[in-house]
Amino acid sequence: MTSSTSSINPSEARAEDKHVIHPPSFTSAAIKKYFSTRFSSLFVSRDEYAHYTRSEILNPFKPLVEMNLHQWKFFLLGFLAWTWDALDFFTVSLNLHNIAESLDVTVKDVSWGITLVLMLRTVGAIIFGALGDTRGRKLPYMLNLALLVVIQIGTGFVTTYQQFLGVRALFGVAMGGIFGVCAAEALSDAPTKARGVLSGIFQEGYAFGYLLAVVFQRALVNTTPHGWRSLFWFSAGPPVLLIIWRYFTPETDAYQIQQARFKEGAMDKSSKVKEFKAEAKGAIKQYWLIIIYLILMMTGFNFSSHGSQDLYPTMLVKQYGYSPNQSTVVNVCANLGALTGGIIIGHLSTFIGRRTAILCGNVITCAFIYPWAFKPMWVTAFFMQFGVQGSWSIVPIHLSELTPPQFRAFASGVSYQIGNLISSASATIEATLGERFPIDGENEIYDYGKTMAIFMAAVMIYLMTVIFLGPENRGADLAGERKPEYVEESDDSEEKADIKEVDSKDSKEPGIKTKVQEV
């Protein structure tokens, strides 16, 4: 029987406790149980489906009704910064030829600026992620955007190739730091039902940034006396508004709770350093295997993104003879497909599970590899990126739910960027493979379609295997609330379950009042 001193039902207790991640166990029984549930865990029970209405499942925007002003504010701060960061990145990609002419170097030389960005993003993820988890999300957010402002202005004034490489190296550090902090800002306080679609919208800020870059490229580069430099100077303006907005905004509720608990622990130990070491040790003990898994997962995701995008414009123009305007239309449609897939598949992940939704996106990708590579047109590009970026859309929330709450910005950002670093050679790998299938070797025209199809098929096999075998923690408390510990006891006459709360918030309340509670 249930103890009269507790109002918590044992089944509810177990439901809450299931999101607590325990240190990995390598006993034969634990390993066998884990792998035997990889297939069955892809399916959501009927009891859980019963909690959702048909309207909630079919309408991606239905869960957004639960969002209040506070939650929208933080989501927009994260989304807009991530979007503009993507725009800043594509200002170089869209102007490779223009920059090469201005600096009197080759396009290949200028492309090293992009390679430097990809290589140094991990450094930024470590620096700004650590700041975000120890000093608050506001400071690294503002510093990161301020650095982007300075770098973009500086890029517009470079006069030598060495100066260009220097500012782009700094940009790589800044870009690497933005994802983890912005994802934590955007999703930490979001309602559970809205996390999937918000994750999709947030992640596709990258595709939206590309679309904005194309628009402003057409509007500024060929219509202003300074050409490509005008685009860089313009891109430095809007982040100033985000910095001002963030300055007058407090930390998220989730971070306030984490900090209150940290201060409580520091008081008990009479040292912030001891409390930080204790938290770090506990996080490593519980999450080390998951962090390794996340790096493997993000490697596959980044390979799928770069493998389907980097050489695609080159394939359209060189192999299939598309004009610049035709190529632009196809690539814009591809990004519209990414936005659509991000919203739909990201939303469905709330109901069918994160891993299942990712695998569904992967299946769509596999179905369109052949027509995308050998019959390129707007519709094949649309559905290819619908699948690729639809799967990608679940990454922010999947990372957030699997990483240590007190080190979320650091762990998610570093996992993301290490995967990106490993996959940064995607274009080089595809270009090297392409040389084995020449169409017109003298004019350096190769069968990029065949190369990219083979590459993407291999990547999909790898990614689907990793996702299928991986863990999931859908619905986890992103504030990292301490969970009650439930102990079952029995006496000589009958078994009874006495539910005891250990380390509950009622016994030691951090004593903070969040903005949501004030409202």
Side-chain angles (χ1 to χ4, degrees):
M1 58 182 289
T2 304
S3 171
S4 60
T5 61
S6 175
S7 61
I8 303 176
N9 183 281
S11 62
E12 293 176 353
R14 288 190 293 271
E16 286 293 315
D17 191 57
K18 72 179 182 179
H19 294 299
V20 178
I21 293 179
H22 301 284
S25 173
F26 294 102
T27 64
S28 58
I31 295 173
K32 182 178 179 180
K33 180 180 179 182
Y34 178 81
F35 284 105
S36 66
T37 58
R38 291 309 82 203
F39 182 76
S40 61
S41 61
L42 290 174
F43 304 97
V44 176
S45 67
R46 291 185 178 181
D47 290 340
E48 184 173 345
Y49 273 124
H51 288 86
Y52 305 113
T53 66
R54 179 173 295 183
S55 176
E56 286 178 321
I57 296 174
L58 297 180
N59 184 359
F61 304 104
K62 179 80 171 179
L64 300 183
V65 176
E66 297 184 13
M67 296 277 286
N68 58 37
L69 182 61
H70 166 90
Q71 294 160 340
W72 274 118
K73 178 171 59 180
F74 280 105
F75 175 76
L76 289 175
L77 279 168
F79 172 79
L80 292 175
W82 175 235
T83 296
W84 210 260
D85 182 60
L87 181 147
D88 289 343
F89 174 75
F90 286 113
T91 51
V92 171
S93 301
L94 294 171
N95 287 284
L96 288 174
H97 182 72
N98 295 329
I99 295 172
E101 282 190 347
S102 295
L103 303 181
D104 194 26
V105 293
T106 66
V107 170
K108 183 179 180 179
D109 290 332
V110 176
S111 69
W112 272 102
I114 298 176
T115 302
L116 277 175
V117 170
L118 298 176
M119 291 174 64
L120 291 172
R121 280 166 67 168
T122 303
V123 177
I126 293 172
I127 295 173
F128 289 99
L131 276 175
D133 289 326
T134 57
R135 301 293 182 182
R137 307 282 158 68
K138 176 187 289 190
L139 178 63
Y141 182 99
M142 296 171 62
L143 286 176
N144 205 307
L145 289 181
L147 184 58
L148 289 175
V149 169
V150 174
I151 291 170
Q152 288 300 93
I153 292 175
T155 305
F157 283 106
V158 297
T159 56
T160 67
Y161 178 60
Q162 289 71 25
Q163 291 173 351
F164 172 77
L165 290 182
V167 293
R168 297 325 288 174
L170 289 175
F171 179 83
V173 175
M175 186 176 189
I178 203 76
F179 176 84
V181 173
C182 286
E185 293 272 64
L187 300 174
S188 290
D189 287 352
T192 302
K193 288 184 180 180
R195 287 181 192 172
V197 65
L198 288 177
S199 176
I201 296 172
F202 172 82
Q203 180 59 38
E204 298 319 317
Y206 192 76
F208 187 49
Y210 174 82
L211 288 178
L212 291 178
V214 171
V215 171
F216 291 119
Q217 168 84 4
R218 289 296 185 96
L220 297 172
V221 173
N222 296 322
T223 59
T224 58
H226 296 289
W228 63 270
R229 299 177 188 272
S230 299
L231 180 61
F232 282 84
W233 295 331
F234 166 77
S235 69
V240 175
L241 301 177
L242 294 177
I243 293 172
I244 296 172
W245 186 9
R246 189 65 187 90
Y247 178 79
F248 291 101
T249 307
E251 297 290 355
T252 62
D253 292 345
Y255 185 78
Q256 289 183 55
I257 293 171
Q258 291 171 25
Q259 281 302 99
R261 187 176 304 115
F262 175 81
K263 291 178 181 178
E264 180 188 357
M267 289 178 63
D268 291 341
K269 296 180 178 65
S270 301
S271 172
K272 289 185 177 180
V273 174
K274 289 182 179 178
E275 176 63 13
F276 179 81
K277 288 182 178 179
E279 286 194 348
K281 184 178 179 180
I284 292 172
K285 182 179 180 181
Q286 288 179 260
Y287 289 89
W288 68 268
L289 186 59
I290 286 182
I291 296 300
I292 293 174
Y293 166 77
L294 292 180
I295 292 173
L296 294 175
M297 181 184 77
M298 293 313 304
T299 298
F301 268 114
N302 280 289
F303 266 122
S304 73
S305 181
H306 290 296
S308 64
Q309 292 176 343
D310 291 355
L311 279 184
Y312 196 65
T314 302
M315 181 193 77
L316 293 176
V317 174
K318 281 202 164 188
Q319 181 176 346
Y320 292 103
Y322 276 52
S323 68
N325 284 338
Q326 289 175 319
S327 177
T328 299
V329 169
V330 172
N331 280 291
V332 167
C333 289
N335 281 277
L336 291 175
L339 290 168
T340 306
I343 293 173
I344 293 176
I345 297 180
H347 167 68
L348 289 177
S349 73
T350 299
F351 311 102
I352 66 176
R354 312 298 184 205
R355 292 164 55 236
T356 303
I358 292 172
L359 291 173
C360 287
N362 293 158
V363 170
I364 294 173
T365 300
C366 292
F368 279 89
I369 287 178
Y370 181 85
W372 163 79
F374 297 103
K375 303 289 182 180
M377 60 184 74
W378 73 266
V379 67
T380 57
F382 179 95
F383 282 105
M384 182 67 174
Q385 291 305 318
F386 181 98
V388 171
Q389 296 300 324
S391 296
W392 252 103
S393 69
I394 302 161
V395 165
I397 190 59
H398 198 38
L399 283 175
S400 295
E401 291 173 335
L402 286 173
T403 48
Q406 65 272 41
F407 299 106
R408 178 164 294 121
F410 177 84
S412 62
V414 171
S415 300
Y416 184 110
Q417 300 305 346
I418 290 179
N420 192 72
L421 174 63
I422 296 172
S423 68
S424 61
S426 296
T428 303
I429 293 173
E430 288 183 327
T432 303
L433 288 174
E435 294 177 358
R436 298 187 179 185
F437 306 104
I439 295 176
D440 185 351
E442 293 183 0
N443 294 314
E444 296 184 351
I445 300 176
Y446 305 102
D447 194 341
Y448 293 112
K450 182 181 293 185
T451 300
M452 295 173 71
I454 294 172
F455 185 85
M456 283 301 296
V459 169
M460 283 298 103
I461 292 172
Y462 167 82
L463 184 57
M464 293 176 76
T465 302
V466 169
I467 295 299
F468 178 78
L469 296 177
E472 181 172 337
N473 198 23
R474 181 172 55 99
D477 186 352
L478 298 188
E481 300 272 5
R482 288 178 181 173
K483 301 297 181 184
E485 181 179 325
Y486 303 94
V487 182
E488 291 189 357
E489 297 180 354
S490 61
D491 57 17
D492 296 333
S493 58
E494 62 176 347
E495 291 187 357
K496 59 182 180 180
D498 288 336
I499 303 175
K500 300 178 180 180
E501 271 194 310
V502 177
D503 197 20
S504 71
K505 291 196 300 178
D506 292 334
S507 60
K508 282 190 177 181
E509 179 61 43
I512 64 171
K513 189 175 184 180
T514 65
K515 294 297 177 182
V516 171
Q517 291 170 330
E518 289 177 357
V519 174

